Amino acid sequence: MAVLPLRILRSGRLVAVTASLRLMCFCALALWAAWTPLGQAGGMNDFRDSQVIHSYEEMAVRTVLDYGQVPLWTPWTCGGLYALGSPQTRFASPPFLLSLLVGARRAEPVLLFLFLVVGMEGFFRYARLRSGSALGAFVTAPLFALNGLVAMSWMQGWINFFGFLLLPWCLLGTALVCRRRPGGLVLLAGAFAVMLGFGGTYPVPMSALFVVLEAAGGLLAQRSWTQRSRVAGWLGAAALFTLGASAFRLWPLLETMQSAPRIMAGQPGTSLAGLASTLLGSVRQWDSPFFLAPPILLLAAASVFSRRALLPGVAALLCAWLATGYHFKASLFEALRALPFFETLRYPERFAFFLAFFLAVLGATGLGVLWRRARRSRLAAWGAVVMCWAALVGMGLARQGFDATARRTGIVPEPERVEQPFAQARGNRWSLGYFVALNRGSIACGEAYPVPMSEALRGDLPQEESLEDPSAGTARRAFWSPNRLEWDVHAAHPTFLRINQNWHPGWKSSVGEVVSREGLLSVSLPAGEHHVTLRFLPRSGIGGALVSLLTWVSLGFVVLGSYRQRSLALWKVGGLAAGPLIAWALLAVFWREPSAPPVLTNPNGTPLLVEALPPEARPVRATFGVPVELHGALVPEGPDANGLLSFELFWKVTGNVPRPVGVFVHLVHEHGRMSSVDHEVLGGTYFFKNAPRGPLLRDAFTVSAPTLAPGTWKLLVGLWNTRQGNRISARDTGGLVSDGRVLAGTFTVPPP
């Protein structure tokens, strides 16, 4: 009786360890899962996020094929922006070659297929290393790859989220580095570089957390301090190589974050029951956002008998804690957001994807436990067979949920392309695909960060460039392309050539000097006849590419050196790793380029920082239990012609303020009815904790009057701890009403 189950298990293991057979199985499963998306190839996803994210790829393809240029700048969105520095662009990665070959829209379902295969193979290799079981890693790999997040990413056009499937390659590279194998350096640096170039602003920092955990586990596994010091040296070199390999994208992103900081507020949270539901679905519904087939729990349960389950078990618990966000008073996610680069993370439930990954690793480990006992126990042998069948059932459930999600994708015919000269239009950020096809730029911006946009941008100009002083002469467009612009200019006296695009310090001119005029790209020209050529040559993009190229050359020397010598000296590896970073520092110091300071404005366009209270504002002068003062408020007498009530509060920060401190705003009607306009971020830019000391902070917000009952209303404001829910005391104010609320003014809403 024990022979039959062992034959079944050995046959499965033979397929798992034979690379060609294993990849054939993975390709078949990926084709099965991606069948519906492949049938949707060539159509346009009309979901609003897809309109924005996909259009970046379309713009990049157009830049390369139509103009023969590297897609560094895109004029088609937000009035023109630095494409390589935009977090959501994904052309700076190898999959872009497929977009160039078959078209951006036809490439997307093929990319889904390829990423599924790459994800399964990566999981197999990492899980086999971690669990010691080729069979366990083989049967659980599809459960990881067919996660509901991947299907949701296809449905909503978040193609850059396919980068999450590179997580196992990052961890595998780290594990190999801990074994001092040069191949691990290449895997780790390459996986992060591809992930970042593919628009991985979420996959990269979130994966980095578990790379650190894997590295810590590798260090603790060493038996002596000498071994640990060597491994630590290799890990340090790996970090340097990874930074260098990612410089081509990391430098532009850092530049963008500096000039346009992305602020995320709110305290999202999910209960454990809600997390289990979104992960495991329900009896009749298997298309939840992070679906992992429930049979994986059976396999994972068997791993409790193995010490190999310690690291993935700890990682799974941390993922569950992070995924609950702010639900519990002790929030690990809150602590994470206090770290640099992690303060922009939102949607903590996305850590459920990592929880699914480590549960799948535990499942592989559990099947490995049964496999090792199968030779001695008939019960264990049949148990392993049952577990394999459970995994196969899980694959069917996962594919069914995957396909159900993919079928909800809203596919419409691809818009026909119209050949005409480029011009800016008022635009619509949720229909951006149509504007790209018309060769029109959309001033309406749908980016996930506050793009520095000029208020002087126009969508109705007869021509996109003109002299600031029309009497100075004429400017005729001679050539137009995304990264290079040319004009023939006749100027009777010195003047400015203004282009209807946003200014960026990366633009360089053959004549005169590139300057910002009201945020518009402009050139200061002397008098005379000029052929003016503008080229976009950003230091961060070109310099970052040079650093990354140097990094890969250094990695090549490490790999070649390891073939010639059995053990490569650590000082050589460290020196080769540090070289590109030194070159990066030298480029940053000696390649001068003007910086783009952040544009600090409220959503209504008013400046965020003011030196004194405007004369039309009402002085208040209130102090609170934290070093914050309210100096005044601007409260309208009633709504404007559009039915809007625009309020402004003037705050001053005098010391260190805890991160959770926010503003509560109560609109109280004369008959007691109340409405709230609470917010944590001042003017959409600063938390009190990060706000500058000294100047007044103008905090502007708007309320729609039709949502309020007619009558007289009071504007009561105060501070509260958004984490604990308690108000912060107010004092030394003549206008104090009660419970820490300060009277900022009154207004009247007329009858409709």
Side-chain angles (χ1 to χ4, degrees), residues 39-169:
Q40 298 168 341
M44 183 173 71
N45 188 339
D46 66 350
F47 184 66
R48 60 180 186 271
D49 286 359
S50 178
Q51 288 285 313
V52 176
I53 298 173
H54 168 82
S55 293
Y56 287 130
E57 190 80 352
E58 198 76 42
M59 298 168 196
V61 170
R62 188 166 191 161
T63 301
V64 174
L65 297 184
D66 291 3
Y67 302 101
Q69 298 175 353
V70 178
L72 297 173
W73 179 263
T74 172
W76 289 281
T77 184
C78 301
L81 55 76
Y82 186 10
L84 198 58
S86 179
Q88 298 186 115
T89 56
R90 56 181 173 88
F91 62 82
S93 59
F96 182 58
L97 298 175
L98 186 61
S99 294
L100 293 175
L101 184 63
V102 301
R105 287 196 171 89
R106 292 189 178 277
E108 287 183 347
V110 181
L111 287 177
L112 173 61
F113 166 80
L114 293 175
F115 268 94
L116 287 173
V117 175
V118 169
M120 283 186 272
E121 179 65 14
F123 180 90
F124 169 81
R125 290 172 180 265
Y126 173 74
R128 183 184 186 183
L129 184 69
R130 176 56 60 190
S131 68
S133 171
L135 180 61
F138 176 63
V139 300
T140 53
L143 302 182
F144 155 70
L146 298 182
N147 188 277
L149 175 64
V150 183
M152 291 290 290
S153 299
W154 168 258
M155 185 189 75
Q156 296 179 323
W158 299 342
I159 306 301
N160 46 1
F161 275 20
F162 292 172
F164 277 110
L165 291 171
L166 298 179
L167 168 67
W169 293 100

Side-chain angles (χ1 to χ4, degrees), residues 647-726:
F647 304 102
E648 295 182 0
L649 302 174
F650 295 87
W651 303 93
K652 187 173 185 179
V653 178
T654 59
N656 294 323
V657 183
R659 161 65 179 78
V661 172
V663 179
F664 70 83
V665 179
H666 292 169
L667 308 179
V668 182
H669 190 257
E670 55 187 326
H671 297 307
R673 188 179 303 177
M674 191 183 79
S675 180
S676 299
V677 196
D678 303 344
H679 51 279
E680 295 179 77
V681 182
L682 304 180
T685 303
Y686 286 124
F687 292 102
F688 279 115
K689 176 180 176 61
N690 309 116
R693 277 65 163 157
L696 294 180
L697 304 166
R698 185 199 302 256
D699 178 22
F701 54 94
T702 303
V703 176
S704 177
T707 63
L708 304 177
T712 302
W713 291 77
K714 295 179 181 179
L715 180 69
L716 304 175
V717 301
L719 302 180
W720 67 309
N721 187 309
T722 60
R723 185 74 179 96
Q724 299 175 358
N726 59 294

